[in-house]
Amino acid sequence: MSELLFDVNLQQLPDEYLTGEWTVADRVLNHTDPSTALAQATLFRLQPGLMEIQTPELQDQGSWTVERDALLNRPYLELQLAAEKTRALVTRLRRSMDGQRSQLNLYFQSGMELLLSQPSY
């Protein structure tokens, strides 16, 4: 990626910066069960209140919301699928000046880490 990306202040992160189609660029499972849909996801589609994920073998949908902790105002994603409910801390969001390219780092309760990128190819 040759385009420069800038860090977004997570305490002032607008929820709409998280919407759109995200490709899983990298993942670290740590102690996460590799058979779960989230651990196998290759694509996330986040629209207001609606989440779709794709894995090599299935497509699933559910809901998502942004919650913030009271002390530091850090954003968490609450993700709900039919068979899975979890929470992921947004640890970093980087965007291009024009907002056309983004990278999103998520750290899940299970220890899994995902690097998501936009646009999806």
Side-chain angles (χ1 to χ4, degrees), residues 7-118:
D7 285 319
V8 173
N9 181 340
L10 296 178
Q11 293 174 324
Q12 300 172 355
L13 172 69
D15 293 356
E16 56 269 10
Y17 279 16
L18 301 172
T19 61
E21 193 167 287
W22 296 90
T23 300
V24 177
D26 194 22
R27 88 182 77 231
V28 177
L29 293 180
N30 292 321
H31 300 291
T32 301
D33 178 356
S35 68
T36 66
L38 286 173
Q40 295 179 18
T42 57
L43 184 76
F44 284 76
R45 282 190 192 93
L46 301 177
Q47 298 306 322
L50 177 66
M51 172 181 68
E52 285 183 52
I53 65 165
Q54 288 183 359
T55 74
E57 297 168 2
L58 69 92
Q59 186 170 349
D60 199 357
Q61 67 180 25
S63 61
W64 70 286
T65 58
V66 177
E67 302 293 329
R68 296 183 181 275
D69 68 30
L71 186 59
L72 298 175
N73 203 35
R74 295 176 299 193
Y76 288 85
L77 297 184
E78 299 280 343
L79 306 173
Q80 175 78 47
L81 295 168
E84 215 171 336
K85 180 179 181 179
T86 191
R87 186 174 190 190
L89 175 65
V90 176
T91 58
R92 187 177 203 186
L93 176 66
R94 305 182 80 213
R95 288 172 51 101
S96 61
M97 288 294 279
D98 63 5
Q100 297 300 307
R101 295 195 56 80
S102 298
Q103 288 183 331
L104 176 64
N105 293 74
L106 299 176
Y107 183 78
F108 288 79
Q109 287 176 313
S110 64
M112 178 174 67
E113 298 174 58
L114 292 181
L115 171 61
L116 306 178
S117 65
Q118 281 182 337

